Amino acid sequence: MGDQTEVLMPPRVEVGVLGWLKKNLFSPWYNALLTVVSVGFVVFVGRVILLWVFRSARWEVVTTNLKVFMIGRYPAAEAWRVLVSLGVVVLLAGLTWAFRKAKDSPIRRWLVLAWIVSFPVIGILLRGFGEDNPFLPKVSAEVWSGLLLTLVLAIVGIVASFPLGVLLALGRRSRLPVVKVLCTIYIEAIRGVPLISVLFMSQLMLPLFLPPQIRLATVMRALTGITLFSAAYTAENIRGGLAAVPIGQYEAAQAVGLNKALMMILVILPQALRNVIPAIVGQFISLFKDTTLVVIVGLLELLGIAKAVTGQRQFIGLHQEVYFFVAVLFFICCYLMSHGSRRLEKALGVGER
Amino acid sequence: MGTSGSETSKVPFWRDIRVLRVLAQIVFLMVVVAGILWAISNYRQRGLIFSYSFLDEEASFDMAEGIEFSPTDSYARAFLVGVINTIRVAAIGIVLATLLGLITGISRLSRNWLVSKIATVYIEIIRNTPLLVQLFFLYFAVIMKLPKLSEAVVMPGPAYLSNRGIVVPWPRLAEAFNLWWPFLVAAVAAAVALIVIRRRSQERIGRPSIRGFWVFACLILIPLAGWLIVPGDPLRLDIPELVRKSGGVLKVEGGVSFSSEFTALLVGLVIYTGAYIAEVVRAGIQSVVKGQTEAARAQGFTSGQITRLIVLPQALRVIIPPLISQYLNLTKNSSLAIAIGFLDLYAVSQTMLNQSGRVVEVFFMIMGSYLAISLTISLIMNIVNKRMQIVER
Amino acid sequence: MPSESSEAAQEIIECRDVHKWFGSFHVLRGVNLTIRKGEVVVICGPSGSGKSTFIRTINRLEEHQKGTIVVDGIELTHDLRNIHAVQREIGMVFQQFNLFPHLKVIDNVTLAPIWVRRWSKDRALKTAEELLKRVGIPEQAQKYPGQLSGGQQQRLAIARALAMQPKIMLFDEPTSALDPEMIKEVLDVMVELARSGITMIVVTHEMGFAKQVADRIYFFDDGNIVEHNTPEEFFRNPREERTKKFLSQILTH
């Protein structure tokens, strides 16, 4: 044959942009119809939304109230404390991410310590001392609101619910019938009722069962409810992780002489928890969204503050703009967290082992 | 079962593993009971009592939503109305959300890029925004912004959309119904008979001897024939119309109306849960190994048959457990009704509690109701689930 | 191979009339067994005969319901102290290795000595390094078990068990889960161990190993010992029918 073979190119319509269009949008006839309908739909909805966003919406309600959305009724003069707290968190997060590969370095132990210490430190920083203290005047937790309160509720909630969740998970898997039954009752009862009823219980009912002298701040009551609620779901996640640890690990730990407690702490739990980190992160994202429910018991986190803003005299009734803004804020936060969680899952899967 | 040792010394009980197990449980139980008793003593110390007698008292508040109720009715009846409202919204919500979720989930897997992307965008937006924000937006920013009744949006029907809700035409029983219902019964009986015949023949010869089409035909043709035969109309469409009452008040009469609160809650719940169900459906369909569809196609099955006989049964097996979860979530989420003023069981309980002051009693009623509803849904779905399970080796 | 040395070798394990039920299934039917210090004992038998269950009752991974088990003078009862004491004195190597995947190789070995025997970290590390050298994987110390081959993993498991300086080593089909080319390296370690004088009970099908170092072979079937003998006698003159049948099945290659 000749040394000049003719290379046949595929038909123009099959490749490149045209090809992609044809394959994905138009190939069977009903697809073409769907595409046309969908395009019409997108154009219609898009027009309505864009027109509203850029023409008729009055965004001043958001821009003038930005600070209110972020920190609510926290006194503006003390806002620097919020910024500092945020800075600390960002710094610690950055350091943790930077050192994520260094498995042996002593830095990791310091980081864990730093995280643990940061909680009370930030708490004190935000709350301050007595009224007349020159540096950190008291800003009672009752006044914390807006996104600040959302973050406080979500973060403290997930952190506090974790140890309780571990205990509940271990209890539910216990071979002692009494422990197992009681833990199961708690978990199933909590999971069978809405969060709002648990919040209601902690808000209104809990104070009635405490000694008359003790009065809990509203935020503390809400936090209790959130923690009790989240612990049940965390327990189920951890239970799944525990079930995934092969029974041979229990046997090997016993055979080498570890007692029950040491076995759990040194061998079983580290493996179980590693399995469920993605689920725990998912739980945090849910919790983050669920903090909006405290509106119903009277706390003003981000959504609550937003609702209050629509009552401002010059901005009465601008619900669309305000709730759209809140929705966008939540969307950005949650989407980023989900994305981070997926990357975390990948990293863990590929990690050592 | 003890070891029968020949000269074993008595095992001291504080080291005996069996004793320790029992002891641990007793201690645990005692701690829990002690905690409960302490809590109750605090309660009593505040001078509070526990009694359900308040349920017979007059509610002295009115409810615009739900079945017949007047302020002189008891709290018990008020609670019942609330429960019925919750069940109403949950039942309709579950059905609609399943439909929406099915369509969206399948769309997400469509080969049409645009359709798939639209579904994805919808799902991502809904899943990353709190339900309450969506409800607030729907209620305050959409429904409440609808025009007044006098300038209501008129949709074909006619149906009236206003800030008071939606009113749509609704069929009501008319005179000829007494003569017509036997046709309905006959239609159902015939359909059931056909289904049984189909199933029997499927077992005997491997495929149903009567096409499924005839089952539907029965359900439609027989009642239709009855309608033509019977004099008069068995059903009449109740058409809503705007009526100006004395005093200039405008009202809608006829049809069936859904309050704006109900509508907002229902639409919000359906859109929200639909997105989650879509993901469940998608995961279920994707779990059916691709090789199956390829093998089926190679054997000559049509697309429809592949979906019906091979993909769907296996996908359903994977879909149903998380679907149960979503139904339960929808039911629990319906409690957010209180945030937009819909009188579901939680909202009614709150009012009852504010007025009567009986916090603990009402709390148990709330928990009991939700647990009962959750259990019922779980039980029903578990039966469905069991029937779907593939028998494995 | 320790035989009759200066004094009569003492008994280190004594099992009398040991019974166990799994529900209604009678898995151990009155097992009687005596093992002397330093003995190397091989237990073989068809699957389902209860041999694995039996050695697991010795270190209390399974609980026997009737009969007595005395290990190094300590009777295994419901006494927690006894149970823990026995478990400290016995090391076990599993068919599925059961290494701790989240710990490095070296940490797998030092975990128990540090937390159970309360050794200092330095002492534990030193012992661990020696043991890793003894089983032939000193260079793997900083890796994770998942990065090792099957044979290396099982040798690590042996080192981990030895770290507690046990008086008795139990082996539950240690080479059954290994690819053929790795069986030899593990058996070599076990042979060296046997020659060092430690008491060993090995459940295995590896008859070559048995012939090399075992003092006695026990044939287990149907929940009890059918016959036992020295390896030479066992293979040359099996007494029972069942033994003959079993031997014919496994010795065909």
Side-chain angles (χ1 to χ4, degrees), chain C residues 132-186:
Chain C
L132 287 182
K133 219 186 301 186
R134 184 173 171 188
V135 302
I137 49 169
E139 72 285 356
Q140 311 287 350
Q142 295 302 321
K143 291 203 188 154
Y144 283 88
Q147 297 168 294
L148 269 53
S149 75
Q152 291 170 324
Q153 289 189 40
Q154 194 62 301
R155 285 187 277 154
L156 168 60
I158 297 178
R160 178 179 65 174
L162 287 175
M164 288 289 281
Q165 296 178 334
K167 299 207 174 102
I168 305 166
M169 283 285 277
L170 300 177
F171 292 81
D172 188 1
E173 305 213 33
T175 54
S176 299
L178 291 175
D179 291 332
E181 60 269 17
M182 295 193 246
I183 294 182
K184 178 177 186 306
E185 64 196 60
V186 174

Coordinates of all heavy atoms in Angstrom, one line a residue, chain C residues 132-186:
Chain C
L132 N 12.2 -7.3 67.1 CA 12.0 -7.1 65.6 C 13.2 -7.7 64.9 O 13.1 -8.3 63.8 CB 11.9 -5.6 65.3 CG 10.6 -5.0 65.6 CD1 10.5 -3.5 65.2 CD2 9.4 -5.7 65.0
K133 N 14.4 -7.6 65.5 CA 15.6 -8.2 64.9 C 15.5 -9.7 64.9 O 15.8 -10.4 64.0 CB 16.8 -7.7 65.7 CG 18.0 -7.4 64.8 CD 19.3 -7.1 65.5 CE 19.1 -5.9 66.4 NZ 20.4 -5.5 67.1
R134 N 15.0 -10.2 66.0 CA 14.9 -11.6 66.2 C 14.0 -12.2 65.2 O 14.2 -13.3 64.6 CB 14.4 -11.9 67.6 CG 14.3 -13.4 67.9 CD 14.0 -13.6 69.4 NE 13.8 -15.0 69.7 CZ 13.3 -15.4 70.9 NH1 13.0 -14.5 71.8 NH2 13.1 -16.7 71.1
V135 N 12.8 -11.5 64.9 CA 11.9 -12.1 63.8 C 12.3 -11.7 62.4 O 11.7 -12.1 61.5 CB 10.5 -11.7 64.1 CG1 10.0 -12.2 65.5 CG2 10.2 -10.3 64.0
G136 N 13.3 -10.8 62.3 CA 13.8 -10.5 61.0 C 13.3 -9.3 60.3 O 13.4 -9.2 59.1
I137 N 12.6 -8.4 61.0 CA 12.1 -7.2 60.3 C 12.5 -5.9 61.0 O 11.7 -5.0 61.2 CB 10.6 -7.2 60.2 CG1 9.9 -7.6 61.6 CG2 10.1 -8.2 59.2 CD1 8.4 -7.4 61.6
P138 N 13.8 -5.8 61.4 CA 14.2 -4.6 62.1 C 14.0 -3.3 61.3 O 13.7 -2.2 61.9 CB 15.6 -4.8 62.5 CG 16.1 -5.8 61.5 CD 14.9 -6.6 61.1
E139 N 14.1 -3.4 60.0 CA 14.1 -2.2 59.2 C 12.7 -1.7 59.0 O 12.5 -0.6 58.4 CB 14.8 -2.4 57.8 CG 14.0 -3.3 56.9 CD 14.0 -4.8 57.3 OE1 14.7 -5.1 58.2 OE2 13.3 -5.6 56.6
Q140 N 11.7 -2.4 59.4 CA 10.3 -2.0 59.2 C 9.7 -1.2 60.3 O 8.6 -0.8 60.3 CB 9.4 -3.2 58.9 CG 9.9 -4.2 57.9 CD 9.8 -3.7 56.5 OE1 9.2 -2.7 56.3 NE2 10.4 -4.4 55.6
A141 N 10.6 -0.9 61.3 CA 10.0 -0.4 62.6 C 9.1 0.9 62.4 O 8.2 1.0 63.1 CB 11.2 0.0 63.5
Q142 N 9.5 1.7 61.5 CA 8.7 3.0 61.4 C 7.6 2.9 60.4 O 6.9 3.9 60.2 CB 9.7 4.1 61.0 CG 10.7 4.4 62.0 CD 10.1 4.8 63.4 OE1 9.1 5.5 63.4 NE2 10.7 4.3 64.4
K143 N 7.3 1.7 59.8 CA 6.2 1.6 58.9 C 5.0 1.2 59.6 O 5.0 1.0 60.8 CB 6.6 0.6 57.8 CG 7.7 1.0 56.9 CD 7.6 0.2 55.6 CE 8.8 0.4 54.7 NZ 9.0 -0.7 53.8
Y144 N 3.9 1.2 58.8 CA 2.6 0.8 59.4 C 2.3 -0.7 58.9 O 2.8 -1.1 57.8 CB 1.5 1.7 58.9 CG 1.5 3.0 59.7 CD1 2.2 4.1 59.3 CD2 0.7 3.1 60.9 CE1 2.2 5.2 60.0 CE2 0.7 4.3 61.6 CZ 1.5 5.3 61.2 OH 1.5 6.5 61.9
P145 N 1.6 -1.4 59.7 CA 1.4 -2.8 59.4 C 0.8 -3.0 58.0 O 1.2 -4.0 57.3 CB 0.4 -3.3 60.4 CG 0.6 -2.4 61.6 CD 1.0 -1.1 61.0
G146 N 0.0 -2.1 57.5 CA -0.6 -2.3 56.2 C 0.4 -2.2 55.1 O 0.1 -2.7 54.0
Q147 N 1.6 -1.7 55.4 CA 2.6 -1.6 54.3 C 3.5 -2.8 54.3 O 4.4 -2.9 53.4 CB 3.5 -0.4 54.6 CG 2.7 0.9 54.5 CD 3.5 2.1 55.0 OE1 3.8 2.2 56.2 NE2 3.8 3.0 54.1
L148 N 3.3 -3.8 55.2 CA 4.1 -5.0 55.2 C 3.5 -6.1 54.4 O 2.3 -6.1 54.2 CB 4.3 -5.4 56.6 CG 5.5 -4.9 57.4 CD1 5.6 -3.4 57.4 CD2 5.5 -5.4 58.8
S149 N 4.3 -7.1 54.0 CA 3.8 -8.2 53.3 C 3.1 -9.1 54.4 O 3.3 -9.0 55.6 CB 4.9 -9.0 52.6 OG 5.7 -9.7 53.6
G150 N 2.4 -10.2 53.9 CA 1.7 -11.1 54.9 C 2.7 -11.7 55.8 O 2.5 -11.8 57.0
G151 N 3.8 -12.2 55.3 CA 4.8 -12.9 56.1 C 5.4 -12.0 57.1 O 5.6 -12.3 58.3
Q152 N 5.7 -10.8 56.7 CA 6.2 -9.8 57.6 C 5.2 -9.4 58.7 O 5.6 -9.3 59.9 CB 6.6 -8.5 56.9 CG 7.8 -8.7 56.0 CD 8.0 -7.5 55.1 OE1 7.1 -6.9 54.6 NE2 9.3 -7.2 54.8
Q153 N 4.0 -9.3 58.3 CA 2.9 -9.0 59.3 C 2.8 -10.1 60.4 O 2.8 -9.8 61.6 CB 1.6 -8.8 58.6 CG 1.5 -7.6 57.8 CD 0.1 -7.3 57.3 OE1 -0.9 -7.5 58.1 NE2 0.0 -6.8 56.1
Q154 N 2.9 -11.3 60.0 CA 2.7 -12.4 60.9 C 3.9 -12.5 61.8 O 3.8 -12.7 63.0 CB 2.5 -13.7 60.2 CG 2.0 -14.9 61.1 CD 0.7 -14.6 61.8 OE1 0.5 -13.6 62.5 NE2 -0.3 -15.4 61.6
R155 N 5.1 -12.2 61.3 CA 6.3 -12.2 62.1 C 6.2 -11.0 63.1 O 6.6 -11.1 64.3 CB 7.6 -12.0 61.3 CG 7.9 -13.4 60.6 CD 9.2 -13.3 59.9 NE 9.1 -12.7 58.5 CZ 10.1 -12.0 57.9 NH1 11.3 -11.9 58.5 NH2 10.0 -11.6 56.7
L156 N 5.6 -9.9 62.7 CA 5.4 -8.8 63.6 C 4.5 -9.2 64.7 O 4.7 -8.9 65.9 CB 4.8 -7.6 62.8 CG 4.3 -6.4 63.7 CD1 5.4 -5.8 64.6 CD2 3.7 -5.3 62.8
A157 N 3.4 -10.0 64.3 CA 2.5 -10.4 65.3 C 3.2 -11.3 66.4 O 2.9 -11.2 67.6 CB 1.4 -11.2 64.7
I158 N 4.1 -12.1 65.9 CA 4.9 -12.9 66.8 C 5.7 -12.0 67.8 O 5.7 -12.2 69.0 CB 5.8 -13.9 66.1 CG1 5.0 -14.9 65.3 CG2 6.7 -14.7 67.1 CD1 5.8 -15.9 64.5
A159 N 6.4 -11.0 67.2 CA 7.2 -10.1 68.0 C 6.3 -9.4 69.1 O 6.7 -9.3 70.2 CB 7.8 -9.1 67.1
R160 N 5.1 -9.0 68.6 CA 4.2 -8.3 69.5 C 3.8 -9.2 70.7 O 3.8 -8.8 71.9 CB 2.9 -7.9 68.8 CG 1.9 -7.2 69.7 CD 0.7 -6.8 68.9 NE -0.1 -7.9 68.4 CZ -1.3 -7.8 67.8 NH1 -1.8 -6.6 67.7 NH2 -1.9 -8.8 67.3
A161 N 3.5 -10.5 70.4 CA 3.2 -11.4 71.5 C 4.4 -11.6 72.4 O 4.2 -11.7 73.6 CB 2.7 -12.7 70.9
L162 N 5.6 -11.7 71.8 CA 6.7 -12.0 72.6 C 7.1 -10.8 73.5 O 7.8 -11.0 74.6 CB 7.9 -12.3 71.7 CG 7.9 -13.7 71.1 CD1 9.1 -13.9 70.1 CD2 7.9 -14.8 72.1
A163 N 6.7 -9.6 73.2 CA 7.1 -8.4 73.9 C 6.7 -8.5 75.4 O 7.3 -7.9 76.2 CB 6.5 -7.2 73.3
M164 N 5.6 -9.2 75.6 CA 5.1 -9.3 77.0 C 5.9 -10.4 77.8 O 5.5 -10.7 78.9 CB 3.6 -9.6 77.0 CG 2.8 -8.4 76.6 SD 2.8 -7.2 77.9 CE 1.6 -7.9 79.0
Q165 N 6.9 -11.0 77.2 CA 7.7 -12.1 77.8 C 6.8 -13.1 78.4 O 6.8 -13.4 79.6 CB 8.6 -11.5 78.9 CG 9.6 -10.5 78.2 CD 10.5 -9.9 79.3 OE1 10.1 -9.7 80.4 NE2 11.7 -9.5 78.8
P166 N 5.9 -13.7 77.6 CA 5.0 -14.7 78.1 C 5.6 -16.0 78.4 O 6.7 -16.4 77.8 CB 4.0 -14.8 76.9 CG 4.8 -14.6 75.7 CD 5.8 -13.6 76.1
K167 N 5.0 -16.8 79.2 CA 5.5 -18.1 79.5 C 5.0 -19.1 78.5 O 5.6 -20.2 78.3 CB 5.1 -18.6 80.9 CG 5.5 -17.7 82.0 CD 5.6 -18.5 83.3 CE 6.2 -17.6 84.4 NZ 5.2 -17.0 85.3
I168 N 3.9 -18.8 77.9 CA 3.3 -19.7 76.9 C 2.9 -19.0 75.7 O 2.4 -17.8 75.8 CB 2.0 -20.4 77.5 CG1 2.3 -21.1 78.8 CG2 1.4 -21.4 76.5 CD1 1.1 -21.4 79.6
M169 N 3.2 -19.6 74.5 CA 2.7 -18.9 73.2 C 1.7 -19.8 72.6 O 1.9 -21.0 72.4 CB 4.0 -18.8 72.3 CG 4.8 -17.6 72.7 SD 4.1 -16.0 72.2 CE 4.5 -15.8 70.5
L170 N 0.6 -19.2 72.2 CA -0.5 -20.0 71.5 C -0.4 -19.5 70.0 O -0.3 -18.3 69.7 CB -1.8 -19.7 72.1 CG -2.1 -20.1 73.5 CD1 -3.4 -19.6 74.0 CD2 -1.9 -21.5 73.7
F171 N -0.6 -20.5 69.1 CA -0.6 -20.1 67.7 C -1.9 -20.7 67.1 O -2.0 -22.0 67.1 CB 0.6 -20.7 66.9 CG 1.9 -20.1 67.3 CD1 2.6 -20.4 68.5 CD2 2.4 -19.1 66.5 CE1 3.8 -19.9 68.8 CE2 3.7 -18.5 66.9 CZ 4.3 -18.9 68.0
D172 N -2.8 -19.9 66.6 CA -4.0 -20.4 66.0 C -3.9 -20.3 64.4 O -4.2 -19.3 63.8 CB -5.2 -19.5 66.4 CG -6.5 -20.1 66.0 OD1 -6.5 -21.2 65.4 OD2 -7.6 -19.5 66.3
E173 N -3.5 -21.5 63.9 CA -3.3 -21.6 62.4 C -2.5 -20.4 61.8 O -3.0 -19.6 61.0 CB -4.6 -21.7 61.7 CG -5.5 -22.9 62.3 CD -6.3 -23.5 61.2 OE1 -5.9 -23.6 60.0 OE2 -7.4 -24.0 61.6
P174 N -1.3 -20.2 62.3 CA -0.6 -18.9 62.0 C -0.3 -18.8 60.5 O -0.1 -17.7 60.0 CB 0.7 -19.0 62.8 CG 0.9 -20.5 63.1 CD -0.5 -21.1 63.1
T175 N -0.2 -19.9 59.7 CA 0.2 -19.7 58.3 C -0.9 -20.0 57.4 O -0.7 -19.9 56.1 CB 1.3 -20.7 58.0 OG1 0.9 -22.1 58.3 CG2 2.6 -20.4 58.8
S176 N -2.1 -20.2 57.9 CA -3.2 -20.6 57.0 C -3.6 -19.4 56.1 O -4.2 -19.6 55.0 CB -4.4 -21.0 57.8 OG -4.1 -22.2 58.5
A177 N -3.4 -18.2 56.5 CA -3.8 -17.0 55.7 C -2.7 -16.5 54.8 O -2.8 -15.4 54.3 CB -4.4 -15.9 56.6
L178 N -1.6 -17.2 54.8 CA -0.4 -16.7 54.1 C -0.3 -17.3 52.7 O -0.6 -18.4 52.4 CB 0.9 -17.0 54.8 CG 1.0 -16.2 56.2 CD1 2.3 -16.7 56.9 CD2 1.1 -14.7 55.9
D179 N 0.3 -16.5 51.7 CA 0.6 -17.0 50.4 C 1.8 -18.0 50.6 O 2.6 -17.8 51.5 CB 1.1 -15.9 49.5 CG -0.1 -15.0 49.1 OD1 -1.2 -15.5 49.1 OD2 0.1 -13.8 48.9
P180 N 1.8 -19.1 49.8 CA 2.7 -20.1 50.1 C 4.2 -19.7 50.2 O 4.9 -20.2 51.0 CB 2.6 -21.0 48.8 CG 1.2 -20.7 48.3 CD 0.9 -19.3 48.7
E181 N 4.6 -18.7 49.4 CA 6.0 -18.4 49.4 C 6.4 -17.7 50.7 O 7.6 -17.5 51.0 CB 6.4 -17.5 48.3 CG 5.7 -16.1 48.2 CD 4.4 -16.2 47.4 OE1 3.9 -17.3 47.1 OE2 3.8 -15.1 47.0
M182 N 5.4 -17.3 51.6 CA 5.8 -16.6 52.8 C 5.6 -17.5 54.0 O 6.0 -17.1 55.1 CB 4.8 -15.4 53.0 CG 5.1 -14.4 51.9 SD 4.3 -12.8 52.3 CE 3.1 -12.7 51.0
I183 N 5.2 -18.7 53.8 CA 5.0 -19.6 55.0 C 6.3 -20.0 55.6 O 6.4 -20.0 56.8 CB 4.2 -20.9 54.5 CG1 2.8 -20.5 54.1 CG2 4.2 -21.9 55.7 CD1 2.0 -21.7 53.7
K184 N 7.3 -20.2 54.8 CA 8.6 -20.6 55.3 C 9.2 -19.6 56.3 O 9.7 -20.0 57.4 CB 9.6 -20.9 54.2 CG 10.9 -21.3 54.7 CD 11.9 -21.7 53.6 CE 13.2 -22.3 54.1 NZ 13.8 -21.4 55.1
E185 N 9.1 -18.3 55.9 CA 9.8 -17.3 56.8 C 9.1 -17.3 58.2 O 9.8 -17.1 59.2 CB 9.7 -15.9 56.2 CG 8.4 -15.3 56.0 CD 8.4 -14.1 55.0 OE1 8.7 -14.3 53.9 OE2 8.0 -13.1 55.4
V186 N 7.8 -17.5 58.2 CA 7.1 -17.5 59.5 C 7.5 -18.8 60.3 O 7.8 -18.8 61.5 CB 5.6 -17.4 59.4 CG1 4.9 -17.6 60.7 CG2 5.3 -16.1 58.7

